[in-house]
Amino acid sequence: MRIAAETMRRKKEKEAREDKEFYERITSGPQWFIFKTVVVFCTLMAVVTTFEVFVDGPTKKLSEKAWKINRDWEWTWHKVLDVEGYMFTPELKDWSDRVENTLKMTYSPVFRTGKKLSFDVKVDESGIRRHEQIRDRSIFTWFPAFQILLLIPLITYIFKRQSPWFNFARVVSFVIVLPGTLLVMYFSLLQ
């Protein structure tokens, strides 16, 4: 019994020592520097994309040639518009009462992507301005889920502990969050 207990104690000590060495290896040196770079990049992107969502950039009046009705898509009670490569879906009743030549596109302040479409709608004798948010792949429609995803590396960095959750979150940051951020930047912001 005593020999078995001593063997178990040595095995536990060896596992604890190996876990500590692994934790020290992943939280120091080049691996840790790369992780901190991912943390800074993702946190910066979370701030920038949040800014993009809440702050409007320049607004430009659109000519009749800058947009077209997209007949490839159907959406009940909506008109599908292709405006400079962005998809907008104003309600049919608003679109049918719109005042001609009043379309304006608002862009985001940093990346200058199309954010929202506005147009005047004739109501009685007066007109009101309607705003339609972008519908296709966009950080504006993914708010706040995208920003929460971007904060996973920062939360992992702040709550750095020698635990399985830390290891899992660190791997998720490298395998899902960073590549996902780069793909979103490419497809929705830089195209």
Side-chain angles (χ1 to χ4, degrees):
M1 228 23 197
R2 210 165 129 225
I3 295 173
E6 182 66 25
T7 306
M8 288 298 289
R9 185 184 62 77
R10 285 185 192 152
K11 187 176 179 182
K12 285 183 182 180
E13 287 176 357
K14 181 181 176 189
E15 286 176 359
R17 186 174 60 252
E18 287 174 352
D19 284 347
K20 186 176 180 184
E21 288 172 0
F22 175 74
Y23 178 75
E24 288 174 2
R25 189 175 70 242
I26 65 172
T27 58
S28 62
Q31 284 184 347
W32 190 243
F33 177 75
I34 292 170
F35 180 73
K36 290 193 294 189
T37 305
V38 169
V39 169
V40 169
F41 175 73
C42 289
T43 304
L44 181 64
M45 284 307 299
V47 170
V48 168
T49 55
T50 302
F51 182 74
E52 290 272 290
V53 169
F54 287 116
V55 177
D56 289 341
T59 300
K60 175 179 97 172
K61 185 170 181 161
L62 298 173
S63 68
E64 291 296 316
K65 294 178 183 176
W67 63 273
K68 67 177 181 175
I69 295 174
N70 191 336
R71 304 213 188 275
D72 295 335
W73 292 88
E74 278 191 40
W75 194 349
T76 307
W77 303 110
H78 289 80
K79 189 60 85 170
V80 179
L81 302 176
D82 184 3
V83 183
E84 296 181 349
Y86 301 106
M87 181 189 292
F88 293 95
T89 56
E91 291 185 20
L92 198 55
K93 65 181 172 81
D94 291 337
W95 185 252
S96 60
D97 291 338
R98 77 178 165 84
V99 177
E100 295 291 326
N101 298 324
T102 59
L103 262 67
K104 292 183 180 178
M105 172 81 90
T106 302
Y107 297 91
S108 62
V110 178
F111 292 108
R112 301 284 192 245
T113 58
K115 186 174 180 179
K116 62 183 167 182
L117 182 71
S118 59
F119 52 91
D120 291 338
V121 177
K122 188 176 181 181
V123 179
D124 298 328
E125 303 267 327
S126 64
I128 59 172
R129 182 150 288 283
R130 293 271 189 222
H131 298 283
E132 185 65 33
Q133 298 294 331
I134 192 166
R135 289 287 179 196
D136 62 353
R137 58 185 195 270
S138 167
I139 60 166
F140 310 115
T141 56
W142 298 338
F143 182 81
F146 181 64
Q147 284 72 13
I148 292 169
L149 180 77
L150 287 174
L151 292 177
I152 289 174
L154 179 65
I155 293 167
T156 304
Y157 180 77
I158 291 172
F159 297 109
K160 178 176 85 168
R161 305 278 187 278
Q162 186 174 349
S163 69
W165 284 108
F166 170 75
N167 294 335
F168 177 74
R170 188 180 70 81
V171 170
V172 164
S173 297
F174 281 121
V175 175
I176 295 173
V177 176
L178 180 62
T181 304
L182 296 174
L183 284 173
V184 166
M185 281 183 57
Y186 177 73
F187 285 114
S188 72
L189 297 175
L190 300 177
Q191 265 191 345

